[in-house]
Amino acid sequence: MAKITYIDNDGTERVVEATNGESVMEAAVKNSIPGIDADCGGACACATCHVYVDAAFMDKVGEQQEMEKSMLDFAENVQENSRLSCQITVSDALDGLRVTTPESQH
């Protein structure tokens, strides 16, 4: 299990316990985290689970694959720390992960 902090673009923080092996997006959906729409259900076929990963965790969340890079082209306000939360797998190494949702997922 890992504790993940989801931060709204207005600064509101919500901490949830996520199960190893599930995605950061799945943990968000299970816990009704606002700002994670997950329209495609985690198939990496949209960009509605876009998050900004805290700099301290960028080396722990893994590298973007080509499909994720392509999908991020559809996201607004993409930054160097942008990731699709459906592509980040929860593990003990991510305990304390902080992600921020953008102002809009569309």
Side-chain angles (χ1 to χ4, degrees):
M1 288 235 159
K3 286 190 179 180
I4 300 174
T5 301
Y6 297 87
I7 307 164
D8 292 351
N9 65 353
D10 68 4
T12 303
E13 296 188 8
R14 293 172 179 83
V15 179
V16 303
E17 287 195 3
T19 305
N20 288 352
E22 73 182 346
S23 71
V24 171
M25 183 261 334
E26 289 170 320
V29 170
K30 278 202 259 185
N31 289 281
S32 302
I33 300 295
I36 305 280
D37 295 345
D39 288 345
C40 74
C44 197
C46 71
T48 62
C49 67
H50 176 210
V51 295
Y52 304 115
V53 175
D54 185 274
F57 284 88
M58 283 302 292
D59 62 336
K60 297 178 183 178
V61 295
E63 296 289 322
Q64 291 178 2
Q65 301 300 312
E66 288 305 313
M67 180 63 89
E68 180 179 3
K69 289 178 185 177
S70 294
M71 288 297 104
L72 280 169
D73 286 341
F74 296 102
E76 295 179 15
N77 301 314
V78 173
Q79 301 174 8
E80 285 186 31
N81 63 335
S82 288
R83 292 295 306 269
L84 296 182
S85 59
C86 69
Q87 298 302 296
I88 303 172
T89 303
V90 175
S91 69
D92 290 339
L94 295 185
D95 189 38
L97 174 65
R98 296 173 61 84
V99 296
T100 303
T101 55
E103 186 174 347
S104 172
Q105 291 287 11
H106 303 285

